Short mmCIF file of all heavy atoms in Angstrom, two decimals:
data_model
loop_
_atom_site.label_atom_id
_atom_site.label_comp_id
_atom_site.label_asym_id
_atom_site.label_seq_id
_atom_site.Cartn_x
_atom_site.Cartn_y
_atom_site.Cartn_z
N ARG A 370 -2.17 17.18 -9.83
CA ARG A 370 -0.84 16.84 -10.26
C ARG A 370 -0.90 15.66 -11.44
O ARG A 370 -0.07 15.95 -12.40
CB ARG A 370 0.05 16.32 -9.04
CG ARG A 370 1.46 16.29 -9.43
CD ARG A 370 2.17 15.58 -8.31
NE ARG A 370 2.18 16.27 -7.08
CZ ARG A 370 2.93 17.37 -6.70
NH1 ARG A 370 3.95 17.67 -7.54
NH2 ARG A 370 2.82 17.95 -5.56
N THR A 371 -1.72 14.60 -11.15
CA THR A 371 -1.68 13.65 -12.24
C THR A 371 -2.15 14.05 -13.50
O THR A 371 -1.64 13.74 -14.64
CB THR A 371 -2.57 12.36 -11.79
OG1 THR A 371 -1.95 11.99 -10.52
CG2 THR A 371 -2.51 11.26 -12.71
N ARG A 372 -3.23 14.87 -13.47
CA ARG A 372 -3.82 15.47 -14.71
C ARG A 372 -2.84 16.29 -15.51
O ARG A 372 -2.67 16.07 -16.80
CB ARG A 372 -5.00 16.45 -14.39
CG ARG A 372 -5.65 17.11 -15.64
CD ARG A 372 -6.74 18.05 -15.20
NE ARG A 372 -7.26 18.77 -16.24
CZ ARG A 372 -7.55 20.11 -16.12
NH1 ARG A 372 -7.30 20.71 -15.01
NH2 ARG A 372 -8.03 20.79 -17.20
N PHE A 373 -1.92 17.11 -14.99
CA PHE A 373 -0.95 17.90 -15.46
C PHE A 373 0.11 17.02 -16.03
O PHE A 373 0.53 17.22 -17.10
CB PHE A 373 -0.39 18.80 -14.45
CG PHE A 373 -1.31 20.07 -14.12
CD1 PHE A 373 -2.56 20.00 -14.46
CD2 PHE A 373 -0.73 21.15 -13.46
CE1 PHE A 373 -3.48 21.04 -14.21
CE2 PHE A 373 -1.51 22.19 -13.10
CZ PHE A 373 -2.99 22.16 -13.46
N TYR A 374 0.58 16.00 -15.23
CA TYR A 374 1.52 15.01 -15.61
C TYR A 374 1.11 14.31 -16.94
O TYR A 374 1.98 14.18 -17.95
CB TYR A 374 1.90 14.08 -14.64
CG TYR A 374 2.75 12.98 -14.98
CD1 TYR A 374 4.20 13.23 -15.01
CD2 TYR A 374 2.40 11.75 -15.31
CE1 TYR A 374 5.12 12.22 -15.42
CE2 TYR A 374 3.25 10.69 -15.69
CZ TYR A 374 4.64 11.00 -15.71
OH TYR A 374 5.41 10.04 -16.15
N ASN A 375 -0.02 13.87 -17.01
CA ASN A 375 -0.55 13.14 -18.13
C ASN A 375 -0.55 14.03 -19.44
O ASN A 375 -0.66 13.45 -20.56
CB ASN A 375 -1.87 12.59 -17.93
CG ASN A 375 -1.97 11.48 -16.86
OD1 ASN A 375 -0.89 10.82 -16.71
ND2 ASN A 375 -3.10 11.12 -16.12
N HIS A 376 -0.69 15.36 -19.28
CA HIS A 376 -0.81 16.28 -20.41
C HIS A 376 0.65 16.87 -20.66
O HIS A 376 0.70 17.83 -21.43
CB HIS A 376 -1.75 17.30 -20.24
CG HIS A 376 -3.22 16.85 -20.32
ND1 HIS A 376 -3.87 16.09 -19.46
CD2 HIS A 376 -4.10 16.89 -21.49
CE1 HIS A 376 -5.05 15.79 -19.75
NE2 HIS A 376 -5.17 16.22 -20.98
N GLY A 377 1.65 16.32 -20.04
CA GLY A 377 3.07 16.82 -20.41
C GLY A 377 3.39 18.20 -19.72
O GLY A 377 4.25 18.85 -20.18
N VAL A 378 2.64 18.51 -18.69
CA VAL A 378 3.04 19.89 -18.01
C VAL A 378 3.78 19.62 -16.77
O VAL A 378 3.38 18.93 -15.83
CB VAL A 378 1.58 20.53 -17.64
CG1 VAL A 378 1.90 21.92 -16.87
CG2 VAL A 378 0.76 20.84 -18.91
N ASP A 379 4.96 20.29 -16.70
CA ASP A 379 5.79 20.15 -15.51
C ASP A 379 5.33 21.19 -14.48
O ASP A 379 5.07 22.38 -14.75
CB ASP A 379 7.27 20.53 -16.09
CG ASP A 379 7.80 19.46 -16.92
OD1 ASP A 379 7.38 18.37 -16.69
OD2 ASP A 379 8.72 19.71 -17.76
N ILE A 380 5.28 20.61 -13.33
CA ILE A 380 5.00 21.47 -12.14
C ILE A 380 6.27 21.66 -11.29
O ILE A 380 6.88 20.70 -10.88
CB ILE A 380 3.92 20.72 -11.24
CG1 ILE A 380 2.55 20.69 -12.01
CG2 ILE A 380 3.73 21.55 -9.96
CD1 ILE A 380 1.86 22.11 -12.06
N VAL A 381 6.56 22.98 -11.06
CA VAL A 381 7.78 23.20 -10.26
C VAL A 381 7.33 24.01 -9.11
O VAL A 381 6.76 25.10 -9.18
CB VAL A 381 8.78 24.02 -11.08
CG1 VAL A 381 10.07 24.33 -10.27
CG2 VAL A 381 9.18 23.20 -12.27
N VAL A 382 7.66 23.55 -7.83
CA VAL A 382 7.38 24.28 -6.63
C VAL A 382 8.60 24.54 -5.91
O VAL A 382 9.34 23.62 -5.49
CB VAL A 382 6.34 23.37 -5.70
CG1 VAL A 382 6.03 24.18 -4.54
CG2 VAL A 382 5.14 22.98 -6.50
N GLU A 383 8.90 25.91 -5.72
CA GLU A 383 10.04 26.21 -5.04
C GLU A 383 9.88 25.90 -3.56
O GLU A 383 8.74 25.83 -3.02
CB GLU A 383 10.26 27.76 -5.22
CG GLU A 383 10.88 28.11 -6.60
CD GLU A 383 11.46 29.57 -6.66
OE1 GLU A 383 11.42 30.25 -5.59
OE2 GLU A 383 11.83 30.02 -7.74
N GLU A 384 11.05 25.59 -2.81
CA GLU A 384 10.96 25.27 -1.46
C GLU A 384 10.24 26.40 -0.65
O GLU A 384 10.57 27.47 -0.75
CB GLU A 384 12.38 25.17 -0.93
CG GLU A 384 12.43 24.61 0.44
CD GLU A 384 11.87 23.09 0.59
OE1 GLU A 384 11.85 22.36 -0.46
OE2 GLU A 384 11.35 22.75 1.73
N VAL A 385 9.38 25.87 0.21
CA VAL A 385 8.47 26.71 1.01
C VAL A 385 8.85 26.55 2.57
O VAL A 385 8.86 25.34 2.92
CB VAL A 385 6.99 26.60 0.76
CG1 VAL A 385 6.13 27.46 1.68
CG2 VAL A 385 6.67 26.78 -0.66
N ASP A 386 9.15 27.56 3.25
CA ASP A 386 9.40 27.49 4.67
C ASP A 386 8.13 26.81 5.45
O ASP A 386 7.09 27.29 5.38
CB ASP A 386 9.68 28.76 5.24
CG ASP A 386 10.19 28.69 6.68
OD1 ASP A 386 10.12 27.60 7.30
OD2 ASP A 386 10.57 29.75 7.25
N GLU A 387 8.42 25.63 6.02
CA GLU A 387 7.36 24.94 6.80
C GLU A 387 6.71 25.90 7.89
O GLU A 387 5.61 25.52 8.30
CB GLU A 387 7.81 23.69 7.35
CG GLU A 387 8.21 22.71 6.28
CD GLU A 387 8.50 21.35 6.84
OE1 GLU A 387 8.51 21.19 8.13
OE2 GLU A 387 8.72 20.39 6.08
N GLU A 388 7.41 26.81 8.37
CA GLU A 388 6.94 27.65 9.50
C GLU A 388 6.16 28.86 8.90
O GLU A 388 5.60 29.64 9.68
CB GLU A 388 8.05 28.04 10.35
CG GLU A 388 8.69 27.01 11.13
CD GLU A 388 9.77 27.43 11.98
OE1 GLU A 388 10.04 28.66 12.13
OE2 GLU A 388 10.41 26.57 12.66
N LEU A 389 5.99 28.98 7.61
CA LEU A 389 5.39 30.16 7.00
C LEU A 389 3.89 29.87 7.07
O LEU A 389 3.37 28.84 6.53
CB LEU A 389 5.83 30.35 5.61
CG LEU A 389 5.59 31.70 4.97
CD1 LEU A 389 6.31 32.75 5.64
CD2 LEU A 389 6.05 31.64 3.48
N GLU A 390 3.14 30.80 7.75
CA GLU A 390 1.71 30.65 7.93
C GLU A 390 0.88 31.89 7.54
O GLU A 390 1.47 33.02 7.78
CB GLU A 390 1.41 30.16 9.31
CG GLU A 390 1.99 28.86 9.76
CD GLU A 390 1.80 28.56 11.30
OE1 GLU A 390 1.73 29.50 12.09
OE2 GLU A 390 1.64 27.37 11.53
N ILE A 391 -0.44 31.77 7.20
CA ILE A 391 -1.28 32.79 6.97
C ILE A 391 -2.64 32.55 7.69
O ILE A 391 -2.94 31.38 7.90
CB ILE A 391 -1.57 33.13 5.53
CG1 ILE A 391 -2.15 31.87 4.78
CG2 ILE A 391 -0.29 33.60 4.82
CD1 ILE A 391 -2.52 32.21 3.40
N GLU A 392 -3.34 33.52 8.01
CA GLU A 392 -4.68 33.37 8.67
C GLU A 392 -5.62 33.46 7.48
O GLU A 392 -5.80 34.53 6.86
CB GLU A 392 -4.93 34.42 9.69
CG GLU A 392 -6.27 34.32 10.44
CD GLU A 392 -6.54 35.21 11.52
OE1 GLU A 392 -5.65 36.24 11.65
OE2 GLU A 392 -7.44 35.16 12.26
N CYS A 393 -6.40 32.44 7.29
CA CYS A 393 -7.32 32.34 6.02
C CYS A 393 -8.41 31.29 6.29
O CYS A 393 -8.31 30.51 7.19
CB CYS A 393 -6.43 32.09 4.83
SG CYS A 393 -5.79 30.48 4.73
N ARG A 394 -9.35 31.26 5.23
CA ARG A 394 -10.25 30.19 5.11
C ARG A 394 -9.59 29.20 4.19
O ARG A 394 -9.44 29.47 2.96
CB ARG A 394 -11.54 30.59 4.56
CG ARG A 394 -12.42 31.54 5.51
CD ARG A 394 -13.76 31.87 4.87
NE ARG A 394 -14.54 32.69 5.74
CZ ARG A 394 -14.71 33.95 5.52
NH1 ARG A 394 -14.22 34.56 4.43
NH2 ARG A 394 -15.44 34.62 6.41
N LEU A 395 -8.98 28.00 4.71
CA LEU A 395 -8.23 27.13 3.92
C LEU A 395 -8.79 26.81 2.57
O LEU A 395 -8.26 26.85 1.49
CB LEU A 395 -7.91 25.87 4.79
CG LEU A 395 -7.12 24.89 4.02
CD1 LEU A 395 -5.74 25.34 3.54
CD2 LEU A 395 -6.96 23.55 4.88
N VAL A 396 -10.06 26.33 2.63
CA VAL A 396 -10.79 25.89 1.43
C VAL A 396 -10.86 26.88 0.34
O VAL A 396 -10.54 26.63 -0.82
CB VAL A 396 -12.16 25.39 1.72
CG1 VAL A 396 -13.01 25.09 0.43
CG2 VAL A 396 -12.04 24.08 2.73
N GLN A 397 -11.13 28.21 0.74
CA GLN A 397 -11.27 29.16 -0.28
C GLN A 397 -9.91 29.59 -0.91
O GLN A 397 -9.84 29.78 -2.21
CB GLN A 397 -11.92 30.36 0.39
CG GLN A 397 -13.34 30.26 0.68
CD GLN A 397 -14.05 31.71 0.98
OE1 GLN A 397 -13.42 32.43 1.63
NE2 GLN A 397 -15.16 31.81 0.48
N ILE A 398 -8.89 29.68 -0.08
CA ILE A 398 -7.62 29.96 -0.68
C ILE A 398 -7.09 28.75 -1.62
O ILE A 398 -6.55 29.07 -2.72
CB ILE A 398 -6.51 30.19 0.39
CG1 ILE A 398 -6.91 31.56 1.16
CG2 ILE A 398 -5.07 30.45 -0.20
CD1 ILE A 398 -7.10 32.77 0.29
N GLU A 399 -7.32 27.60 -1.25
CA GLU A 399 -7.06 26.51 -2.09
C GLU A 399 -7.84 26.50 -3.41
O GLU A 399 -7.28 26.17 -4.50
CB GLU A 399 -7.28 25.15 -1.42
CG GLU A 399 -6.40 24.85 -0.30
CD GLU A 399 -6.64 23.45 0.42
OE1 GLU A 399 -7.75 22.97 0.25
OE2 GLU A 399 -5.68 22.91 1.01
N GLN A 400 -9.15 27.02 -3.38
CA GLN A 400 -9.90 27.11 -4.63
C GLN A 400 -9.32 28.20 -5.46
O GLN A 400 -9.36 28.03 -6.72
CB GLN A 400 -11.38 27.34 -4.17
CG GLN A 400 -12.07 26.20 -3.58
CD GLN A 400 -13.51 26.59 -3.06
OE1 GLN A 400 -13.70 27.68 -2.77
NE2 GLN A 400 -14.26 25.52 -2.75
N VAL A 401 -8.85 29.27 -4.93
CA VAL A 401 -8.27 30.39 -5.76
C VAL A 401 -7.05 29.85 -6.43
O VAL A 401 -6.78 30.06 -7.66
CB VAL A 401 -7.98 31.57 -4.87
CG1 VAL A 401 -7.14 32.57 -5.64
CG2 VAL A 401 -9.19 32.19 -4.27
N LEU A 402 -6.13 29.10 -5.62
CA LEU A 402 -4.91 28.60 -6.15
C LEU A 402 -5.26 27.57 -7.32
O LEU A 402 -4.59 27.60 -8.36
CB LEU A 402 -4.08 27.95 -5.09
CG LEU A 402 -2.79 27.33 -5.49
CD1 LEU A 402 -1.86 28.34 -6.21
CD2 LEU A 402 -1.98 26.71 -4.27
N LEU A 403 -6.19 26.71 -7.03
CA LEU A 403 -6.60 25.73 -7.99
C LEU A 403 -7.14 26.44 -9.34
O LEU A 403 -6.74 25.97 -10.42
CB LEU A 403 -7.75 24.86 -7.56
CG LEU A 403 -8.24 23.78 -8.54
CD1 LEU A 403 -7.16 22.82 -8.91
CD2 LEU A 403 -9.45 23.06 -7.82
N ASN A 404 -7.88 27.49 -9.15
CA ASN A 404 -8.30 28.22 -10.38
C ASN A 404 -7.20 28.73 -11.17
O ASN A 404 -7.23 28.67 -12.40
CB ASN A 404 -9.29 29.29 -9.91
CG ASN A 404 -10.01 30.03 -11.17
OD1 ASN A 404 -10.57 29.48 -12.08
ND2 ASN A 404 -9.78 31.30 -11.09
N LEU A 405 -6.17 29.30 -10.58
CA LEU A 405 -5.05 29.88 -11.21
C LEU A 405 -4.34 28.73 -11.96
O LEU A 405 -3.82 28.89 -13.11
CB LEU A 405 -4.09 30.64 -10.29
CG LEU A 405 -4.65 31.86 -9.69
CD1 LEU A 405 -3.79 32.59 -8.72
CD2 LEU A 405 -5.24 32.90 -10.73
N LEU A 406 -4.14 27.55 -11.25
CA LEU A 406 -3.43 26.56 -11.86
C LEU A 406 -4.14 26.00 -13.12
O LEU A 406 -3.50 25.67 -14.16
CB LEU A 406 -3.30 25.31 -10.79
CG LEU A 406 -2.25 25.60 -9.72
CD1 LEU A 406 -2.45 24.49 -8.62
CD2 LEU A 406 -0.82 25.65 -10.26
N ASN A 407 -5.49 25.92 -13.01
CA ASN A 407 -6.24 25.48 -14.19
C ASN A 407 -6.20 26.51 -15.29
O ASN A 407 -6.09 26.08 -16.51
CB ASN A 407 -7.74 25.25 -13.71
CG ASN A 407 -8.04 24.13 -12.98
OD1 ASN A 407 -7.26 23.07 -13.03
ND2 ASN A 407 -9.02 24.05 -12.20
N ASN A 408 -6.26 27.81 -14.98
CA ASN A 408 -6.07 28.78 -16.05
C ASN A 408 -4.76 28.63 -16.84
O ASN A 408 -4.65 28.69 -18.05
CB ASN A 408 -6.24 30.09 -15.50
CG ASN A 408 -7.65 30.40 -15.10
OD1 ASN A 408 -8.64 29.73 -15.61
ND2 ASN A 408 -7.94 31.47 -14.30
N SER A 409 -3.64 28.40 -15.94
CA SER A 409 -2.42 28.32 -16.60
C SER A 409 -2.29 27.09 -17.38
O SER A 409 -1.64 26.99 -18.54
CB SER A 409 -1.34 28.25 -15.44
OG SER A 409 -1.20 29.49 -14.89
N PHE A 410 -2.94 25.96 -16.95
CA PHE A 410 -2.89 24.59 -17.64
C PHE A 410 -3.53 24.80 -19.01
O PHE A 410 -3.04 24.38 -20.08
CB PHE A 410 -3.70 23.61 -16.81
CG PHE A 410 -3.87 22.28 -17.53
CD1 PHE A 410 -2.86 21.32 -17.48
CD2 PHE A 410 -5.08 22.14 -18.20
CE1 PHE A 410 -3.15 20.14 -18.06
CE2 PHE A 410 -5.23 20.90 -18.80
CZ PHE A 410 -4.34 19.84 -18.79
N ASP A 411 -4.69 25.52 -19.05
CA ASP A 411 -5.48 25.71 -20.32
C ASP A 411 -4.65 26.61 -21.31
O ASP A 411 -4.57 26.45 -22.44
CB ASP A 411 -6.84 26.34 -19.97
CG ASP A 411 -7.76 25.41 -19.35
OD1 ASP A 411 -7.49 24.17 -19.46
OD2 ASP A 411 -8.68 25.85 -18.65
N ALA A 412 -4.03 27.66 -20.66
CA ALA A 412 -3.36 28.59 -21.47
C ALA A 412 -2.08 28.09 -22.22
O ALA A 412 -1.73 28.56 -23.23
CB ALA A 412 -2.92 29.85 -20.63
N ILE A 413 -1.42 27.12 -21.63
CA ILE A 413 -0.15 26.66 -22.29
C ILE A 413 -0.31 25.34 -23.05
O ILE A 413 0.72 24.66 -23.50
CB ILE A 413 0.87 26.45 -21.15
CG1 ILE A 413 0.58 25.40 -20.17
CG2 ILE A 413 1.20 27.83 -20.45
CD1 ILE A 413 1.58 25.04 -19.10
N GLN A 414 -1.62 24.77 -23.18
CA GLN A 414 -1.80 23.50 -23.85
C GLN A 414 -1.13 23.49 -25.18
O GLN A 414 -0.66 22.42 -25.69
CB GLN A 414 -3.28 23.22 -23.87
CG GLN A 414 -3.79 22.66 -22.59
CD GLN A 414 -3.05 21.40 -22.05
OE1 GLN A 414 -3.00 20.33 -22.78
NE2 GLN A 414 -2.26 21.61 -20.97
N GLU A 415 -1.21 24.56 -25.99
CA GLU A 415 -0.76 24.50 -27.43
C GLU A 415 0.66 24.92 -27.45
O GLU A 415 1.20 24.94 -28.61
CB GLU A 415 -1.60 25.51 -28.16
CG GLU A 415 -3.07 25.28 -28.26
CD GLU A 415 -3.36 23.71 -28.64
OE1 GLU A 415 -2.70 23.29 -29.65
OE2 GLU A 415 -4.30 23.09 -28.08
N LEU A 416 1.34 25.18 -26.36
CA LEU A 416 2.74 25.63 -26.45
C LEU A 416 3.73 24.37 -26.55
O LEU A 416 3.42 23.37 -26.04
CB LEU A 416 3.11 26.54 -25.20
CG LEU A 416 2.37 27.81 -25.07
CD1 LEU A 416 2.82 28.53 -23.73
CD2 LEU A 416 2.53 28.70 -26.14
N GLU A 417 4.83 24.66 -27.07
CA GLU A 417 5.95 23.59 -27.17
C GLU A 417 6.45 23.30 -25.87
O GLU A 417 6.72 22.29 -25.37
CB GLU A 417 6.97 23.96 -28.19
CG GLU A 417 7.96 22.85 -28.38
CD GLU A 417 8.90 23.19 -29.49
OE1 GLU A 417 8.64 24.08 -30.33
OE2 GLU A 417 9.98 22.55 -29.53
N GLU A 418 6.68 24.34 -25.03
CA GLU A 418 7.26 24.33 -23.71
C GLU A 418 6.17 24.48 -22.68
O GLU A 418 5.59 25.64 -22.61
CB GLU A 418 8.40 25.26 -23.60
CG GLU A 418 9.11 25.23 -22.18
CD GLU A 418 10.22 26.28 -22.16
OE1 GLU A 418 10.50 27.01 -23.11
OE2 GLU A 418 10.72 26.36 -20.99
N LYS A 419 5.95 23.52 -21.98
CA LYS A 419 4.73 23.60 -20.96
C LYS A 419 5.17 23.33 -19.62
O LYS A 419 5.58 22.16 -19.25
CB LYS A 419 3.65 22.46 -21.39
CG LYS A 419 3.03 22.73 -22.83
CD LYS A 419 1.89 21.87 -23.05
CE LYS A 419 2.39 20.58 -23.48
NZ LYS A 419 1.34 19.61 -24.05
N TRP A 420 5.20 24.37 -18.78
CA TRP A 420 5.47 24.22 -17.39
C TRP A 420 4.81 25.30 -16.54
O TRP A 420 4.35 26.33 -17.02
CB TRP A 420 6.94 24.47 -17.20
CG TRP A 420 7.65 25.69 -17.67
CD1 TRP A 420 8.33 25.85 -18.83
CD2 TRP A 420 7.72 26.93 -17.08
NE1 TRP A 420 8.75 27.00 -19.01
CE2 TRP A 420 8.36 27.82 -17.94
CE3 TRP A 420 7.12 27.49 -15.88
CZ2 TRP A 420 8.59 29.15 -17.65
CZ3 TRP A 420 7.38 28.86 -15.46
CH2 TRP A 420 8.03 29.63 -16.46
N ILE A 421 4.52 24.95 -15.28
CA ILE A 421 3.90 25.87 -14.35
C ILE A 421 4.82 25.94 -13.00
O ILE A 421 5.20 24.81 -12.56
CB ILE A 421 2.48 25.48 -13.94
CG1 ILE A 421 1.54 25.40 -15.21
CG2 ILE A 421 1.82 26.43 -12.89
CD1 ILE A 421 0.22 24.82 -14.99
N GLN A 422 5.04 27.02 -12.54
CA GLN A 422 5.81 27.19 -11.32
C GLN A 422 5.04 27.92 -10.26
O GLN A 422 4.26 28.87 -10.51
CB GLN A 422 7.09 28.13 -11.64
CG GLN A 422 8.02 28.31 -10.46
CD GLN A 422 9.18 29.28 -10.71
OE1 GLN A 422 9.15 29.88 -11.77
NE2 GLN A 422 10.17 29.16 -9.93
#
Side-chain angles (χ1 to χ4, degrees):
R370 192 187 299 274
T371 301
R372 176 185 174 225
F373 286 13
Y374 174 80
N375 289 339
H376 287 79
V378 177
D379 291 330
I380 293 285
V381 180
V382 181
E383 289 195 0
E384 186 64 27
V385 181
D386 186 352
E387 292 187 355
E388 296 182 0
L389 200 60
E390 297 175 327
I391 58 173
E392 186 178 6
C393 69
R394 295 187 180 104
L395 174 61
V396 171
Q397 287 195 318
I398 296 301
E399 286 181 341
Q400 289 172 340
V401 172
L402 179 57
L403 177 63
N404 184 55
L405 295 182
L406 290 169
N407 284 337
N408 286 347
S409 291
F410 174 86
D411 292 336
I413 63 176
Q414 280 305 293
E415 303 302 323
L416 300 182
E417 184 175 340
E418 184 178 352
K419 295 185 282 191
W420 55 261
I421 299 174
Q422 180 183 19

